[in-house]
Amino acid sequence: IERGVKLYQPARSLRQRADTQRRAHHALSAQHTHSEGIEKGPAGEAVEQAQSLVDQRTRDLGPDHRRTLDARQELAFCTGEDGSPTKAAALFWELARDCARLLGPDHPTTLATRHAHAYWTGTAGHPDDAARLLHLLVIDRTRVLGPNHELTQKTRQNVIAWTSMTARCHAI
């Protein structure tokens, strides 16, 4: 039992951080989506509404417009929240690639999207890949923001959490 409690504690800490990140994301996305007409309801409805918004923005503004990228970010997040973390990870990967191309590899949105890609990759059952992706992100955030920046430090903590998750998975 003691071993089980010790194994549970880091996972619980990771879930608590993920919950905090989700609440922060919801607060930020509410600013974007409320003005765009997306009503937050059950996750499935949010996915449908986000997909509709992506389609509309792609048609009206083009696939490379910043507001289309914002809608795609919301779609990817809602997809993960709806229970499809593998699909969310794939959507965030595509979005991160496009953000790097359009905004630059060091743009805050690109870095945040890479972080979300790593999170959903880990949530989809690939903690070793999440740790690797976050390690690369720490290097870039250290270069861009400095080693003591809050986002650099939080990303470093996430590397440790996913690495410990990987170790526990291999130990079982």
Side-chain angles (χ1 to χ4, degrees):
I1 294 176
E2 285 182 36
R3 183 172 183 264
V5 170
K6 287 179 183 177
L7 289 174
Y8 175 74
Q9 291 299 332
R12 188 182 77 182
S13 176
L14 182 62
R15 283 192 299 276
Q16 288 171 334
R17 280 195 296 275
D19 288 343
T20 300
Q21 288 175 345
R22 264 196 292 277
R23 284 192 299 276
H25 174 82
H26 279 302
L28 288 173
S29 65
Q31 294 172 357
H32 293 295
T33 58
H34 181 69
S35 64
E36 303 303 330
I38 291 180
E39 296 295 325
K40 293 294 182 182
E45 290 179 29
V47 170
E48 289 176 15
Q49 292 177 4
Q51 181 63 63
S52 176
L53 185 60
V54 168
D55 294 344
Q56 175 190 357
R57 292 225 179 126
T58 301
R59 184 178 54 254
D60 296 347
L61 303 172
D64 293 345
H65 194 278
R66 178 60 193 257
R67 293 181 61 172
T68 304
L69 297 177
D70 291 343
R72 288 175 56 199
Q73 184 270 342
E74 182 66 18
L75 172 62
F77 182 79
C78 291
T79 299
E81 287 293 299
D82 191 38
S84 300
T86 301
K87 185 173 180 181
L91 291 171
F92 273 115
W93 166 245
E94 292 171 10
L95 182 59
R97 189 181 58 214
D98 289 342
C99 285
R101 177 176 57 86
L102 297 166
L103 304 172
D106 296 337
H107 191 277
T109 299
T110 303
L111 298 175
T113 303
R114 288 176 54 199
H115 197 131
H117 171 240
Y119 169 78
W120 287 109
T121 298
T123 302
H126 305 285
D128 50 339
D129 291 335
R132 181 183 52 79
L133 291 166
L134 288 166
H135 175 73
L136 295 172
L137 183 58
V138 166
I139 293 168
D140 291 337
R141 281 190 164 159
T142 299
R143 180 178 44 77
V144 173
L145 302 171
N148 298 320
H149 191 278
E150 179 183 8
L151 290 174
T152 304
Q153 291 176 351
K154 285 182 180 183
T155 306
R156 192 174 293 119
Q157 291 169 353
N158 289 158
V159 170
I160 293 166
W162 284 112
T163 300
S164 69
M165 183 75 71
T166 298
R168 283 194 310 282
C169 289
H170 292 301
I172 294 177

